[in-house]
C-alpha cells in the first residue's frame, strides 16, 4: 500500500509503551547509522502476534543532509 493511500494515527492505538519504545530505539539507531541530520520518516511493519518481530519497510530522509557535508 502506498503511503498516500494509508491512514496514520499517532500515537499508535495498538502498540504498548514497550513496543513504542522498542521502535523508537530502533529508529534512532537507523538514523544514526545512516548519518541523517534533519527530518526523517521510517515505516515499520510489526507482527501483531509477536511485537518484537518487526520489519523496516522504508526510510525516507526529508529535508535531511549528511552531517559530513
Amino acid at each position: 500500500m502506498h503511503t498516500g493511500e494509508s491512514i496514520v494515527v499517532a500515537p499508535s492505538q495498538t502498540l504498548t509503551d514497550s513496543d513504542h519504545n522498542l521502535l523508537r530505539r530502533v529508529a534512532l539507531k537507523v538514523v544514526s547509522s545512516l548519518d541523517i541530520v534533519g527530518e526523517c520518516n521510517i515505516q515499520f511493519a510489526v507482527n501483531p502476534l509477536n511485537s518484537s518481530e518487526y520489519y523496516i519497510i522504508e526510510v525516507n530522509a526529508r529535508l535531511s543532509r549528511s552531517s559530513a557535508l
Side-chain angles (χ1 to χ4, degrees):
M1 176 179 289
H2 186 272
T3 56
E5 300 162 348
S6 66
I7 296 172
V8 176
V9 177
S12 174
Q13 297 177 346
T14 58
L15 296 177
T16 66
D17 284 344
S18 60
D19 295 339
H20 179 265
N21 287 326
L22 169 67
L23 296 178
R24 182 180 184 279
R25 285 192 308 274
V26 170
L28 291 172
K29 287 181 183 180
V30 168
V31 168
S32 178
S33 67
L34 294 176
D35 201 25
I36 294 175
V37 176
E39 297 176 16
C40 178
N41 177 45
I42 301 179
Q43 294 180 23
F44 291 98
V46 179
N47 181 342
L49 302 177
N50 178 6
S51 61
S52 64
E53 181 181 356
Y54 61 87
Y55 300 91
I56 296 174
I57 298 172
E58 177 180 281
V59 178
N60 186 354
R62 301 177 181 271
L63 302 173
S64 298
R65 64 172 181 78
S66 169
S67 64
L69 294 177

